């Protein structure tokens, strides 16, 4: 008689180590597709000599497993496993009490939660469950990445940098992605199961999850659009906490900043890409265009007083998206590699708010017929800007613009370090080069090279102060130079406006005007209009990004001449001094001293330091709040015990009623 299975040992620890999934913990077997894993079958005691011969093993996933959709697969025991499909082999233990079974999943299998069963004499015996992920280590997988260093960076790295500010003042923000935190992978799978395609056809959606293209597109729609009317009340230090807000829709949903959505999709929540096994990275595009009418041009229309009256196109100081690594079997193989997806979709795509994935190479070469949403992404990095004034009779007069201002210092974190890497060259040829213009034409951009017109007689520039720290008063200048042959008399306006990172204007915080006569260029003369920015006026209106937009306008209504210059400045923020008192050792108490000097001419209320770090704070942030106001200096001493050996990052955040989101970090090496 044949002996039956009494229990199944999934050997989570050993399998996790070989599949690079040990950081998820040992509560569930998590493996990567296209790679074998081992289980051990314990047999019931008996006298039989036949050991599970002609056994059939089945794997199934989703609410309606079907062989037609590859969500249910049955396979027999072979002498050895196959690399190309689901297969299994078995070895009898000499004791004849256990059987070791090796299972190899298909490198093209849909990802997700699977049930594993054994068919013995017509009886289905449950062996347990496991989660199958994409596999960047498997050459047959669509997300295969050849470099181990890059796999460590783009799949397994738990820390990263997100770049913000302006292209002239780029600030790196450290981030704990948290993709391996407890419960996070479950949330990722829940997000996939919540998408409308799964609701309408669960079997088809589950089957389609074999493709990272499909999964990435679903994530773009779900992460970026399944939101409500409120801003997420989070510190931005740890991506996994952002994701957890999606678990309780009854308590309200949240709108993330674009960089927060990108982190969530990349891995900050981790799930949404790295946690599912897709290599990805966060990318920041400075001076990022939002082309609302698909013309591949940003058209700025102003009235005669310099006020913008168009509401469609815009240019954001920066915008953050995600690049995911995969093959594109739906396109030519030349377009394999990094693909752009935007988890903050701004326009609909095939009737749904999502964006991408589009090959970076397609953007670089102007191949806008390649899926998905290449025209919109192309405009983000390479649109032309046209400035026009609307006259009382409705006529539009072009008075400025640029073919070079959009898409600056496209940035991502470097592999293996905290340095910023400029990848602008991967998105476009050098601005102004012959190749860049040719690509622009091929992309059917509604652009003509600058029309051969006379050079304007006036030139307008904005010059900044050297030190622009939040809390201080400082001057900026608009400089008007006449390069023509005749003197010009015109109105000169200079004003400052608080602005959000997405280009949305807030309240004015400074204004100056004058009527000036500018001699001709032969006199080498210019006129300066100064604008003093005082904390008393800007302090209460600038957002937490500390951005101020400066706009200078000069016009001669009789001659219909208009000139404009704009510059966005980011105010310097105070630094947090982080000092470790002693050497970091595992399970040993360690004290950190935190210090921040108050740069403002007024006291700070509701002050707090919050610190967080993988392997440092036991998975929970530590906060120290102040009961009293802070006039000159905020200090805190915090004791904690590191819980794991290795390199990590200690992130510190300071908040108050007037200074918010002040961040810093130090790298920490924890020794045994």
């Amino acid at each position: 008689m044949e002996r039956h299975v009494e229990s199944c040992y999934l050997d989570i620890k050993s399998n996790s180590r070989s599949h690079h999934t040990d950081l998820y913990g040992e509560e569930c077997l998590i493996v990567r597709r296209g790679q074998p894993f081992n289980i051990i079958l314990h047999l019931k005691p008996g006298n039989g000599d036949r050991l599970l011969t002609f056994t059939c093993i089945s794997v199934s996933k989703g609410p309606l497993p079907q062989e037609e959709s590859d969500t249910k697969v049955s396979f027999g025991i072979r002498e050895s496993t196959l690399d190309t499909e689901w297969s299994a082999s078995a070895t009898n233990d000499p004791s004849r009490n256990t059987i070791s079974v090796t299972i190899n999943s298909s490198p093209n299998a849909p990802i997700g939660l699977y049930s594993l069963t054994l068919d013995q004499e017509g009886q289905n015996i449950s062996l347990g469950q496991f989660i199958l992920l994409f596999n960047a280590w498997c050459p047959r997988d669509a997300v295969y990445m050849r470099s181990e260093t890059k796999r460590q960076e783009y799949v397994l790295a738990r820390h990263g940098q997100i770049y913000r500010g302006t292209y002239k003042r780029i600030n790196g923000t450290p981030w704990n992605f948290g993709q391996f935190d407890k419960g996070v992978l479950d949330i990722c799978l829940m997000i996939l199961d919540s998408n409308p395609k799964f609701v309408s056809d669960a079997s088809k959606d589950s089957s389609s999850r074999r493709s990272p293209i499909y999964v990435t597109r679903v994530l773009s729609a779900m992460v970026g659009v399944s939101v409500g009317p409120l801003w997420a009340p989070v510190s931005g230090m740890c991506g996994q906490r952002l994701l957890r807000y999606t678990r309780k829709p009854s308590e309200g949903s949240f709108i993330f900043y674009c960089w927060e959505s990108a982190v969530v999709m990349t891995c900050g929540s981790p799930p949404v890409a790295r946690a599912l096994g897709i290599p990805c990275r966060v990318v920041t595009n400075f001076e990022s265009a939002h082309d609302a009418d698909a013309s591949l041009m940003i058209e700025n229309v102003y009235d005669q007083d310099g006020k913008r009256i168009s509401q469609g196109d815009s240019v954001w100081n920066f915008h953050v998206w995600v690049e995911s690594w995969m093959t594109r079997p739906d396109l030519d193989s030349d377009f394999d590699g990094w693909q752009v997806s935007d988890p903050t979709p701004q326009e609909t795509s095939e009737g749904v708010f999502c964006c991408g994935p589009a090959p970076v190479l397609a953007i670089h070469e102007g191949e806008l017929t390649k899926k998905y949403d290449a025209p919109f992404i192309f405009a983000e990095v390479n649109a032309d800007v046209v400035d026009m004034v609307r006259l009382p009779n409705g006529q539009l007069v072009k008075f400025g613009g640029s073919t070079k201002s959009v898409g600056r210092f496209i940035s991502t974190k470097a592999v293996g370090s905290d340095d910023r890497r400029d990848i602008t060259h991967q998105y476009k040829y050098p601005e102004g080069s012959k190749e860049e213009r040719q690509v622009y034409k091929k992309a059917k951009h509604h652009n003509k090279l600058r029309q051969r017109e006379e050079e304007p007689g006036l030139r307008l520039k904005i010059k900044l102060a050297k030190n622009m720290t939040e809390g201080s008063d400082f001057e900026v200048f608009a400089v008007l130079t006449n390069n023509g042959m005749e003197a010009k008399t015109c109105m000169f306006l200079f004003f400052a406006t608080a602005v959000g990172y997405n280009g949305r204007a807030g309240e004015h915080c400074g204004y100056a005007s004058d009527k000036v006569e500018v001699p001709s260029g032969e006199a080498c003369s210019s006129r300066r209009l100064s604008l003093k920015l005082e904390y008393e006026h800007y302090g209460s209106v600038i957002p937490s990004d500390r951005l101020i937009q400066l706009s200078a306008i000069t016009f001669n209504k009789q001659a219909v001449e208009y000139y404009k210059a704009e510059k966005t400045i980011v105010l310097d923020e105070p630094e947090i001094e982080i000092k470790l008192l002693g050497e970091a050792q595992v399970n040993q108490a360690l004290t950190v001293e935190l210090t921040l000097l108050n740069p403002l001419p007024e006291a700070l209320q509701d002050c707090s330091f919050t610190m967080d770090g993988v392997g440092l704070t036991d998975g929970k942030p530590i906060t120290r709040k102040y009961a009293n106001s802070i006039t000159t200096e905020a200090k805190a001493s915090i004791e904690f015990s590191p819980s794991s050996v290795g390199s990590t990052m200690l992130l510190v955040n300071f908040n108050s009623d007037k200074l918010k989101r002040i961040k810093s970090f130090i790298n920490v090496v924890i020794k045994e």
Side-chain angles (χ1 to χ4, degrees), residues 195-503:
N195 90 83
K197 294 182 179 180
F198 179 83
V199 175
S200 63
D201 190 338
S203 180
K204 182 178 180 181
D205 177 81
S206 295
S207 176
S208 298
R209 295 180 194 177
R210 70 179 68 251
S211 167
I213 302 170
Y214 179 87
V215 171
T216 299
R217 194 155 173 79
V218 168
L219 294 180
S220 172
M222 293 300 292
V223 173
V225 182
S226 297
V227 293
L230 302 175
W231 292 102
V234 293
S235 67
M237 293 172 61
C238 185
Q240 62 94 358
R241 287 197 290 279
L242 286 175
L243 182 67
R244 294 186 187 277
Y245 283 103
T246 67
R247 301 192 69 178
K248 300 179 180 179
S250 62
E251 298 180 5
S253 51
F254 299 84
I255 295 177
F256 299 137
Y257 289 97
C258 68
W259 67 87
E260 290 172 339
S261 292
V263 168
V264 170
M265 182 166 173
T266 306
C267 43
S269 69
V272 233
R274 285 191 190 178
L276 296 176
I278 302 175
C280 59
R281 61 188 184 184
V282 181
V283 173
T284 301
N285 176 41
F286 292 91
E287 296 298 299
S288 185
H290 176 183
D291 179 22
D293 59 2
S295 66
L296 304 185
M297 297 183 68
I298 303 302
E299 298 165 315
N300 298 321
V301 181
Y302 300 84
D303 64 18
Q304 290 182 284
D305 294 322
K307 181 180 178 181
R308 184 170 176 177
I309 58 178
S310 60
Q311 301 296 321
D313 295 347
S314 61
V315 177
W316 296 21
N317 291 301
F318 68 93
H319 186 46
V320 183
W321 57 65
V322 172
E323 286 183 7
S324 302
W325 182 270
M326 65 189 73
T327 60
R328 292 301 299 265
D330 56 332
L331 305 175
D332 298 335
S333 60
D334 291 341
F335 296 99
D336 293 347
W338 289 117
Q339 315 288 320
V340 179
S341 294
D342 194 339
T344 320
Q346 302 160 61
E347 302 292 342
T348 58
S349 173
E350 298 182 340
V352 178
F353 274 98
C354 65
C355 184
V360 172
L361 181 63
I363 307 304
H364 186 273
E365 296 300 327
E367 295 282 357
L368 303 193
T369 61
K370 307 301 180 183
K371 297 179 179 179
Y372 292 93
D373 311 307
F376 184 84
I377 298 169
F378 181 90
E380 285 184 304
V381 301
N382 212 10
D384 279 357
V385 177
V386 176
D387 296 326
M388 295 177 286
V389 62
R390 186 184 298 276
L391 303 180
N393 62 4
Q395 180 184 0
L396 292 175
V397 177
K398 178 182 175 181
F399 67 92
S402 174
T403 63
K404 303 178 181 180
S405 61
V406 166
R408 302 282 192 97
F409 294 92
I410 303 174
S411 304
T412 191
K413 177 185 173 299
V415 175
S417 77
D418 293 322
D419 296 334
R420 183 185 70 87
R421 182 187 174 198
D422 192 301
I423 57 172
T424 309
H425 64 283
Q426 295 183 9
Y427 279 83
K428 56 184 180 180
Y429 290 97
E431 286 288 3
S433 67
K434 180 180 178 181
E435 294 84 355
E436 185 266 342
R437 288 292 89 187
Q438 289 175 340
V439 167
Y440 200 42
K441 290 182 178 180
K442 186 172 68 173
K444 298 181 180 179
H445 193 308
H446 185 73
N447 77 315
K448 294 180 180 179
L449 296 176
R450 292 182 179 179
Q451 298 180 3
R452 307 305 299 176
E453 297 179 349
E454 293 183 1
E455 291 292 327
L458 299 176
R459 298 195 179 195
L460 191 56
K461 293 184 178 181
I462 295 175
K463 293 189 176 182
L464 306 178
K466 291 185 178 180
N467 297 313
M468 299 180 295
T469 304
E470 184 176 9
S472 66
D473 298 342
F474 55 91
E475 277 189 307
V476 291
F477 302 89
V479 181
L480 181 61
T481 303
N482 183 5
N483 294 325
M485 300 301 295
E486 300 178 356
K488 300 284 185 178
T489 300
C490 53
M491 288 298 300
F492 201 177
L493 308 177
F494 195 17
F495 49 92
T497 307
V499 65
Y501 81 97
N502 59 359

